[in-house]
Each structure stands twice: as C-alpha cells, then as structure tokens.
C-alpha cells in the first residue's frame, strides 16, 4: 500500500518588534496559595499507583532509619557537652532524613496524613484516603525493618566498644516507658512540627530552600523527645534485634546484662508506642495542621452558596452594576456553571473514534473515564495531531486513547469557588503580585501591576474535569468561567447593526 509522504517542515519563527524584557523572579507562595498547592500535592500522592506508593514508602522508611543511625552516632559518648547541646546535635543530625525525603522524594506516613485535605474538599473518598495511609504505613514499616537487618548484620552496635549499641538500647527502651496518653501527646506534638516543616516547603522554589526549612522543626521535635511513628519503626526493632542477637562479648564489654532490657518486646512496642504514637501523629498532622489550614483558607468554598441575582445560563443580570455584582460573584461555585460530562471518551476507543467525536461536537478536548466513571485522563486535539505526526499520517487505526492521553491532569471540586478558579486559570499571582497576605514584599520590582501582568506567563488548561468523591461529575471550561463573570462588566451591550454600504445609501 502506498502512503503519502509528508515532508517535515521547520518550526515557524516568531518575530516580535518589542525588545526582550527581564523575567520576574519566582516569588514564594502566600499561605492561601500554599493551601491550594497542598490540596493538589496531597491529592496527587494519594492517587499514585499501589506499586509506586509502596516503593516510595519503603524508601522513606529507610531514609528515616538512616537518620536515626546518624542520631545514635552523634549522641553516643556526648554526655560531656551537656544534655541540651547533645540532643540538639542529634536533632540536627536526624533532620538529614527529612531533607533526603523532600529532595529525593518519598512517601512518609506522618506527612501522607495531609491527604485529609482533598478528602475534606470531596476530591477523595474516605476509603481511598485510608487505603493510601495503610499502604504508606506498611511500606514505611518494611523499609525500616529492612534497614534494621542491614544495621544489625553490619554489627554497628559494636562501635565505640559497644557504647553505640548500649545507646541504641537505652533509646529504644525509653520509648516504651511512656503512658498511653503521654505517647499520644508526644506523637501529636511531633507531627505538628513535621507537617509544618513539610507545609513550609510548599512556599520554597529550590531544593536548597526546602532542605533549609525542614531542619529546625525536625531538630526541635527530636531534641525534645517527641515521638515519630516511622522513626520508632526503626529504633525500637533495632533495640529488640540487638537484645536478641548481640554476642556475649558485647554484653561483657558494656558491663550490662540483656535482662536489663526485658521490656524490649514486640508486644510492648505495639501497645506502649506504635498504636498511641500513630494516633497522636494523625491528630497532629491531619487534624491540627491539615484541617486547620483547610478551615482557614478553603472551608469557605464548601458552604452552600447563596444563589446570585442573575442566571449564569442566560447571562441576564437584574441587580445594580458595581459592588453588588462582585458580592454575588463571590458566592458562585464550579457546580453552578459546569456542564455534564456527556462527551467523555473511553480509554479503549481508537484515536480515530476520538477524533470523530471531537470534530463532530467541535471540541478542543475531552475527558477520559473508565466504566465506573472514574477519571483516567484527558485527550486534546494536540495529542491526536502529535500521534498523526509520529505515524507520518499513515492511519494509526490500532492506537487507543489510553496510549496518548494525558494522565497527570488538574481537577476541581464542584464546591470550588469560581473566582479562585478564574484567577488560577489566568494569573500567576506569585509573579504578578509578589506580596504575602501579611503585606511582606516577596521580591523587588519597579514595574507597574499592569505591566507585570502582561509580562507574566501562565499555561493552564482551558478545560478542568470536575471530580466529586473520585467520580467525574462534569467539566468546566474557560469559556464558561468568562460567561459567568460577564455581569461584572455591567449591563449587556447591544451590538449595532452593520451599516449599509455607501453606494446603497446614495442610491
């Protein structure tokens, strides 16, 4: 069969008469923007595949365990420098674990509890949230135990004539001496600091800045003796392993009997530490930090909206022009303007069928859902055109939508505020208005606001899938947002009829 040969044309050149202008440096996010980022961040992590989640969680368990190895080494034999200084040094050493996490990536249970934010927004259901927590918890535990085997096999407990191992045993046994409520409170205080440390990294733009932000909160919780469940998944089993596997020469060297650590058992670990500290970590991270910031910055969009004085569909406004219009616009949510997802595609259909659907309905793109109406991706004209180009326009009839669709896509909830969505679609606030909510200047610039807006670049989707409890309920487009905001420009303008041609008027 003969195919038409299509010549690859060079990319067009864009010519501008204006001189290039200096780009505005990226500014830190404001607390409100950090909350929005946290919603997307937590949702993306909570919807990772099981294999990816477990792999990243296992890595995180190893990272935190390595941090505790560093802590034991630094604090062994340091009693001469004073209690506080010794623990501060150990805390600074332990912060290496969270630094590796924020730079290299990983899934840590104590920060994964922030997925309660997309749950509160309706983007996740409770089952999906708890399933994610369970996977991360299991992965962290497995990673920590694997490191215990390696450290024990390497016989690090023999360092400093056995003092390293004795220090580890003492730390592990001390963790089992708390009362149940005391352990809950220590866990709560710990994850309050851990999640605040992670939250602060949302405002940073570089790995160095993220690393610097987590050091002091982590150093504080470690040096003060707060309880971190993933750290304990390594520390207490390490103590149990040393007690069980250390040679008689080790005990003779340190001058202590193994019976001195009789409380180091798996049963005591579960009841005196693992369970209460897990509860405390959830309270400190999910409830205090996660729901705390959500209630301040996002909860208002969850309230049942007061119906405006105009119909979004008819775009007819009956109230006065000006401030009342703005007040009405503030009450509109995505649910008020979205359209049903009647044009959704299936991942199994061919791109020829998808192209026919887009062309017939004059759509620039469409969402892709499975048989359970769960969002799988998004296909636009661009993906189809790119595939055609790759195939030299030779009828790639067997190619399915699943193979070309975008999988990492932005979604909104039905109760998302319209004005917030409009701003996100069109403006990068961090570039255009680099001032925090408290009035602190985040970057220096002498350009007027209008000029900064013209010079800023924002690339956001024109179509947003609307997801509620994991199910696709509709789509909202930039055109729908613009139509809903039209009343802010005042009364409708009547278009003038085209004037008759001069020749006809003369005649």
């Amino acid at each position: 069969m003969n195919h038409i040969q299509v010549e690859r044309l060079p990319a067009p050149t864009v010519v501008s008469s204006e001189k290039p202008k200096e780009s505005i440096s990226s500014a830190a996010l404001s607390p409100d923007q950090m909350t929005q980022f946290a919603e997307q961040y937590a949702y993306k992590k909570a919807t990772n595949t099981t294999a990816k989640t477990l792999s990243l969680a296992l890595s995180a368990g190893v990272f935190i365990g390595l941090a505790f190895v560093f802590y034991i080494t630094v604090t062994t034999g340091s009693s001469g420098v004073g209690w506080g200084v010794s623990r501060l040094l150990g805390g600074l050493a332990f912060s290496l674990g969270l630094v590796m996490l924020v730079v290299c990536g990983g899934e840590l249970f104590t920060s994964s509890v922030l997925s309660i934010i997309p749950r509160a927004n309706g983007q996740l259901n409770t089952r999906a949230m708890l399933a994610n927590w369970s996977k991360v918890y299991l992965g962290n535990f497995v990673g920590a135990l694997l490191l215990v085997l390696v450290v024990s096999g390497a016989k690090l407990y023999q360092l400093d004539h056995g003092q390293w191992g004795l220090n580890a045993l003492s730390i592990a046994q001390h963790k089992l001496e708390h009362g149940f409520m005391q352990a809950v409170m220590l866990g709560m205080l710990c994850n309050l600091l851990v999640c605040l440390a992670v939250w602060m990294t949302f405002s940073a733009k570089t790995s160095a800045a993220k690393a610097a932000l987590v050091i002091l909160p982590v150093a504080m919780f470690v040096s003060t003796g707060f309880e971190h469940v993933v750290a304990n998944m390594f520390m207490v089993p390490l103590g149990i392993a040393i007690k069980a596997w250390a040679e008689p020469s080790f005990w003779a060297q340190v001058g202590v009997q193994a019976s001195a650590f009789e409380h180091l058992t798996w049963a005591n670990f579960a009841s005196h530490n693992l369970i209460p500290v897990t509860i405390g970590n959830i309270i400190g991270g999910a409830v205090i930090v996660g729901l705390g910031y959500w209630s301040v910055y996002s909860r208002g969009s969850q309230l049942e909206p007061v119906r405006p004085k105009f119909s979004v569909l008819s775009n007819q406004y009956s109230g006065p022009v000006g401030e009342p219009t703005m007040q009405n616009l503030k009450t509109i949510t995505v649910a008020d303007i979205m359209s049903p997802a009647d044009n959704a595609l299936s991942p199994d259909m061919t791109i020829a069928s998808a192209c026919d659907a887009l062309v017939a309905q004059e759509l620039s793109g469409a969402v892709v859902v499975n048989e359970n109406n769960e969002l799988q991706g998004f296909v636009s004209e661009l993906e189809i055109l790119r595939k055609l180009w790759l195939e030299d326009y030779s009828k790639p009839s067997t190619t399915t939508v699943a193979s070309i669709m975008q999988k990492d896509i932005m979604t909104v909830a039905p109760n998302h505020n319209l004005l917030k969505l409009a701003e996100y679609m069109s403006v990068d606030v961090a570039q255009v208005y680099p001032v925090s909510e408290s009035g602190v200047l985040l970057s220096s610039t002498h350009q007027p606001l209008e000029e900064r807006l013209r010079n800023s670049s924002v690339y956001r989707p024109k179509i947003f899938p609307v997801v509620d409890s994991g199910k696709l309920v509709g789509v909202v487009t930039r055109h729908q947002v613009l139509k809903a905001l039209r009343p802010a420009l005042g009364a409708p303008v009547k278009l003038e009829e085209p004037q008759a041609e001069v020749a006809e008027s003369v005649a």
Side-chain angles (χ1 to χ4, degrees), residues 39 117-123 294 298-305 330-336 338 412-421 466-469 473:
E39 293 173 7
I117 301 174
R119 170 64 191 93
N121 280 341
Q123 294 173 288
W294 171 79
S298 296
R299 189 177 183 180
S301 63
Q302 308 297 312
L303 301 177
E304 181 66 20
K330 289 180 179 179
T331 67
I332 305 177
T333 63
V334 168
D336 295 316
M338 70 181 188
V412 292
N415 47 24
H416 197 98
N417 181 263
L418 171 66
L419 294 182
K420 283 188 176 182
L421 177 60
V466 185
V467 177
D468 186 18
S469 299
V473 296

Side-chain angles (χ1 to χ4, degrees), residues 3-202:
H3 298 294
I4 300 174
Q5 296 298 318
V6 180
E7 181 182 359
R8 305 291 190 197
L9 299 178
T13 302
V14 179
V15 181
S16 174
S17 59
E18 296 185 2
K19 295 181 179 179
K21 300 179 180 180
E22 296 180 0
S23 61
I24 303 171
S25 60
S26 297
L29 301 182
S30 68
D32 187 14
Q33 293 169 326
M34 288 163 65
T35 304
Q36 296 178 37
F37 181 86
E39 293 173 7
Q40 296 290 335
Y41 170 86
Y43 176 79
K44 187 176 186 303
K45 281 183 169 287
T47 53
N48 280 335
T49 63
T50 298
K52 184 176 181 179
T53 297
L54 290 174
S55 298
L56 291 173
L58 190 146
S59 299
V62 172
F63 291 162
I64 297 300
L66 288 172
F68 229 136
V69 170
F70 198 6
Y71 174 90
I72 297 169
T73 301
V74 169
T75 57
T76 297
S78 61
S79 56
V81 301
W83 182 86
V85 175
S86 172
R87 293 175 72 89
L88 172 61
L89 294 175
L92 292 172
F94 186 89
S95 66
L96 172 66
L98 209 60
V99 169
M100 288 191 293
L101 274 170
V102 299
V103 175
C104 301
E107 291 286 0
L108 191 64
F109 173 76
T110 46
S111 58
S112 290
V113 297
L114 291 175
S115 60
I116 199 169
I117 301 174
R119 170 64 191 93
N121 280 341
Q123 294 173 288
L124 281 179
N125 56 41
T126 302
R127 181 179 178 181
M129 181 188 72
L130 294 178
N132 175 253
W133 289 8
S134 301
K135 295 171 190 174
V136 175
Y137 196 90
L138 175 62
N140 289 165
F141 213 158
V142 172
L145 292 180
L146 287 175
L147 187 63
V148 167
L149 292 176
V150 174
V151 170
S152 301
K155 298 187 177 181
L156 295 185
Y157 56 84
Q158 294 180 347
L159 292 174
D160 193 22
H161 308 291
Q163 293 304 306
W164 194 97
L166 183 60
N167 187 19
L169 285 163
S170 300
I171 294 171
Q173 179 152 283
H174 175 69
K175 290 183 174 295
L176 305 185
E177 295 173 353
H178 306 309
F180 190 91
M181 285 307 302
Q182 183 186 13
V184 170
M185 295 301 174
L186 289 171
M188 182 183 72
L189 289 168
C190 169
N191 212 28
L192 171 66
L193 286 168
V194 170
C195 285
L196 284 175
V198 172
W199 199 274
M200 288 192 295
T201 66
F202 297 154

